[in-house]
Amino acid sequence: MSKRQKKWQAFMERNRKSNGYLMRKTLFNIGYKFCRAVLIFGLCFLIIQPLINKISLSFMEQQDLYDSTIVNIPRHFSTENYKLSSELMDYWKALGTTAYISLFVSILQVGAATLVGYGFARYKFPLKNFWFFMVILVIIVPPQTIMTSLYLNFTYFDPLGIFSLITGKPLNMINTIIPYLLLCIGCMGLKSGLYIYLIRQFFRNVPKDIEEAAYVDGCGKFKTFYRIMLPDAKPIITSCFLFAFVWQWTDKFYTQMFLRKYTLLSTKLNGLAGSLDAFVKGAGIAEKAEQAYSSAIIATGTLMTIIPLLVIYVFAQKGFVESLSQSGIKM
């Protein structure tokens, strides 16, 4: 008698003793795992399928785009779409500028949010609940509602009338990066409220005994934060940095308001359709291929924009997953 037959007989014997409960439980577990696998596969397919379509379009030649017999696999493999998208977007210059600004802005945002989040988690001060409610409003209220106020404030920037007193007129700071940096330092940058909330929740879960032990050993408040608390917060800081970097990389709202003169991937991708229309007319491409060709070039430009983000997530995946597992939201 084989091992499989012996296991089956042992299973049936246990099932007989349990009056069929073991069989029902086993069938239920198999059905549950099957349904879960189907659901996960379906969700993954919904997420990945648009990306697969863009990858397929990016390698198709013009005649493949309006060939109804071609679905996903190109018949004429080509990289010309990447060359054209790179030329129309001024890709390498935009990539360098976007990486520099995203890195700089993300560091400022996470640094300011870490200090504020630690203060909310560990210290008591007047109107603490009120100010934290303001942080929640920063998360809930979309930035478009204060767009006019931001634009006017930085167009006529004049705190306490200092610039009018010295130069006779307010300072116009639009089309410079300074207003955006001031917003990030003041925790009013893109999604800054969310970073404050996440970091606050992380520090609230850290036992206070650690700080008290540091105080007994002679550490001050700043040294305790810098030497004791901050190293433990690396996972959540890594997550917030990744979120800040990615959102800044693809942001259109603040870049169109303050960074118009900079060559950024988000603005170049947004203007790719207009540049492509001029190219299509100049190249004399057939009208029936114009729409399909435009879709392929835009899809290629989108892929070229998100590929650096995918590379970053591949290398930062360990720290990102670790932060999610350690920073449970507890009130």
Side-chain angles (χ1 to χ4, degrees):
M1 185 179 294
S2 64
K3 290 183 178 180
R4 181 175 298 180
Q5 290 175 335
K6 291 180 180 180
K7 287 183 179 180
W8 174 253
Q9 287 184 354
F11 175 81
M12 294 302 296
E13 180 65 22
R14 291 167 56 199
N15 181 63
R16 184 183 62 80
K17 293 181 179 180
S18 64
N19 295 324
Y21 173 77
L22 183 60
M23 179 66 74
R24 292 193 301 270
K25 182 179 178 180
T26 303
L27 293 176
F28 175 79
N29 289 336
I30 293 174
Y32 171 75
K33 291 179 180 179
F34 176 77
C35 294
R36 184 178 60 182
V38 171
L39 181 61
I40 293 175
F41 175 80
L43 291 175
C44 292
F45 180 78
L46 289 176
I47 296 172
I48 297 176
Q49 193 265 345
L51 184 62
I52 295 176
N53 285 344
K54 285 181 170 55
I55 294 175
S56 175
L57 287 174
S58 67
F59 289 108
M60 289 186 182
E61 289 189 355
Q62 294 181 29
Q63 58 266 35
D64 292 348
L65 296 172
Y66 50 91
D67 189 341
S68 60
T69 62
I70 297 176
V71 180
N72 286 322
I73 301 177
R75 182 169 297 160
H76 304 88
F77 187 87
S78 174
T79 59
E80 289 299 321
N81 293 339
Y82 286 92
K83 296 179 182 179
L84 179 58
S85 297
S86 177
E87 180 181 349
L88 293 177
M89 294 174 61
D90 197 1
Y91 180 74
W92 295 110
K93 180 180 179 181
L95 179 66
T97 306
T98 302
Y100 166 73
I101 291 179
S102 298
L103 181 63
F104 191 29
V105 167
S106 301
I107 291 174
L108 288 179
Q109 275 191 287
V110 175
T114 302
L115 292 174
V116 175
Y118 181 74
F120 274 115
R122 289 310 201 198
Y123 296 107
K124 295 181 180 180
F125 49 88
L127 301 177
K128 176 181 176 179
N129 293 333
F130 171 77
W131 291 118
F132 189 70
F133 176 71
M134 294 295 104
V135 173
I136 300 300
L137 283 183
V138 172
I139 300 175
I140 297 174
V141 177
Q144 287 79 3
T145 58
I146 59 174
M147 179 175 62
T148 304
S149 299
L150 286 176
Y151 185 83
L152 292 176
N153 182 55
F154 288 110
T155 302
Y156 305 99
F157 188 73
D158 194 13
L160 303 177
I162 297 176
F163 291 104
S164 296
L165 182 63
I166 297 175
T167 63
K169 61 180 181 179
L171 181 64
N172 185 0
M173 301 179 69
I174 296 298
N175 292 330
T176 67
I177 197 175
I178 297 176
Y180 197 28
L181 297 182
L182 292 176
L183 289 174
C184 293
I185 294 173
C187 294
M188 280 298 294
L190 183 64
K191 309 292 184 180
S192 289
L194 177 62
Y195 310 145
I196 294 173
Y197 181 80
L198 292 175
I199 293 172
R200 169 187 176 267
Q201 295 303 122
F202 178 87
F203 282 124
R204 286 189 66 184
N205 295 331
V206 178
K208 291 186 178 181
D209 296 343
I210 298 177
E211 289 174 301
E212 294 173 356
Y215 294 152
V216 171
D217 291 338
C219 290
K221 292 183 178 181
F222 179 77
K223 190 174 182 180
T224 300
F225 169 73
Y226 176 73
R227 298 291 297 274
I228 307 298
M229 304 298 290
L230 202 57
D232 289 340
K234 285 182 180 179
I236 191 62
I237 291 176
T238 300
S239 286
C240 291
F241 175 80
L242 289 175
F243 285 138
F245 189 87
V246 170
W247 274 321
Q248 178 57 40
W249 188 277
T250 57
D251 174 59
K252 296 180 182 179
F253 177 76
Y254 285 107
T255 53
Q256 290 179 350
M257 181 181 297
F258 299 124
L259 307 175
R260 294 178 183 176
K261 70 176 184 179
Y262 292 89
T263 304
L264 301 175
L265 286 176
S266 58
T267 54
K268 284 293 184 180
L269 182 62
N270 193 41
L272 182 59
S275 302
L276 188 59
D277 288 341
F279 171 80
V280 168
K281 293 178 181 178
I285 296 175
E287 183 177 354
K288 64 178 180 179
E290 181 176 341
Q291 184 176 359
Y293 190 62
S294 300
S295 299
I297 298 300
I298 293 174
T300 305
T302 304
L303 281 177
M304 295 173 67
T305 301
I306 66 175
I307 282 175
L309 301 179
L310 296 177
V311 174
I312 291 174
Y313 268 107
V314 167
F315 287 100
Q317 179 183 7
K318 181 179 179 181
F320 181 70
V321 174
E322 181 182 357
S323 67
L324 294 180
S325 63
Q326 293 185 1
S327 58
I329 304 302
K330 297 180 181 179
M331 297 300 293

